[in-house]
Amino acid sequence: MTLSGLYVPLITPFAADGSVDLPALERLAADVLAAGATGVVALGTTGEPSSLTPAERASILDLLTGVCRGHQLIVGAPAPPTATAALTLVPPFVRPGEDGVIAHLTAAAAASPVPLVIYHVPYRTAQPLSARAIRRLAAIPNVAGMKLAVGGIDADTIELMADPPFAVLGGDDVFISPLLALGAAGGILASAHIATAEYASLVTSWQPALGHRLARLSAALFAEPNPTVTKAVLHAQGRIATPDVRLPLLPASPESVRAALQLITPAPVA
């Protein structure tokens, strides 16, 4: 498979009664795909999967499998055979070391019915990886690429991007512009629920001024734990029925929501 372009890790909208609002999710998915996204990510962190029941997760996958016909659907691992790829986290918390990470992901790739997109986010997993280790991961059969979210542009990122061994998708929204300038193939960006067409334009044709402006928007949308501000903005735009999140998340503050709304270029809601 070819990984490139913009992927939107979808929120899970909730109705007023607390249930998953599937019609709203269907509209959001259709909106971002129509606005230029290559595909969507289902049941990633942005979708609050740990707070969903098995039945809710299954209903989301069924819905998005239908909406994404003709587009790519990446699913938080484990992914069904109908997905394009499985977003697979570097083992968190246990800190197995680079050799342990490689052994674990080699086994996961061999068992997966679809290619893996490895999610490297060391400030969440507590497991750093050198550029050399990432190149070893790229050599594993059935690994398609990596969502890279190391919290900035560090020395290993510079070394890796000098000659990327596979598709690297930026996963830190605020830093997507410099990563694209270094040669990233695209991004998995929760911020792209908002101003999707502009994020898609940035990914396909990097523009410094647009990158700077969208970085400010991304920073505002991530001012509180993701996806709380994004959900509140979508609600303010009339695109979802409630801004609700499930514990352990709490709703975004009015101040953060106002700050994000002030950075959005006025445009008609789809």
Side-chain angles (χ1 to χ4, degrees):
M1 66 169 293
T2 300
L3 285 173
S4 65
L6 173 66
Y7 299 81
V8 181
L10 291 171
I11 65 157
T12 299
F14 297 118
D17 64 1
S19 63
V20 174
D21 190 344
L22 292 174
L25 179 61
E26 183 175 17
R27 289 192 299 271
L28 284 175
D31 284 350
V32 300
L33 293 171
T38 300
V40 302
V41 178
L43 303 179
T45 306
T46 302
E48 303 174 69
S50 63
S51 71
L52 302 174
T53 67
E56 288 172 331
R57 291 195 291 270
S59 66
I60 288 169
L61 283 182
D62 287 346
L63 172 72
L64 293 179
T65 297
V67 175
C68 289
R69 288 193 177 94
H71 298 274
Q72 294 187 13
L73 173 62
I74 301 174
V75 177
T82 52
T84 306
L87 186 63
T88 306
L89 194 64
V90 168
F93 191 75
V94 294
R95 303 184 67 184
E98 291 185 342
D99 288 343
V101 169
I102 291 162
H104 170 80
L105 291 173
T106 298
S112 176
V114 296
L116 303 188
V117 176
I118 296 169
Y119 185 10
H120 180 36
V121 55
Y123 51 85
R124 291 183 184 267
T125 65
Q127 176 59 66
L129 293 175
S130 65
R132 180 181 178 185
I134 294 173
R135 292 184 187 281
R136 291 172 64 193
L137 291 172
I140 298 172
N142 208 32
V143 168
M146 172 173 280
K147 177 182 178 181
L148 185 69
V150 298
I153 306 294
D154 61 10
D156 279 307
T157 299
I158 297 294
E159 182 180 345
L160 177 70
M161 297 309 298
D163 183 22
F166 55 6
V168 175
L169 302 175
D172 282 311
D173 296 36
V174 173
F175 299 107
I176 187 58
S177 182
L179 196 60
L180 289 167
L182 289 171
I188 298 177
L189 307 174
S191 302
H193 284 85
I194 314 299
T196 309
E198 292 178 281
Y199 281 98
S201 177
L202 179 68
V203 167
T204 56
S205 179
W206 178 72
Q207 307 158 57
L210 179 59
H212 293 157
R213 182 163 62 81
L214 292 179
R216 293 182 64 211
L217 175 57
S218 291
L221 292 170
F222 277 80
E224 298 187 32
N226 182 50
T228 60
V229 180
T230 294
K231 277 191 160 184
V233 169
L234 290 169
H235 174 61
Q237 293 179 324
R239 297 173 66 191
I240 58 176
T242 77
D244 295 350
V245 291
R246 289 181 180 173
L247 291 172
L249 294 175
L250 296 174
S253 67
E255 294 79 11
S256 292
V257 179
R258 281 196 296 269
L261 286 168
Q262 288 172 358
L263 294 172
I264 298 170
T265 302
V269 176

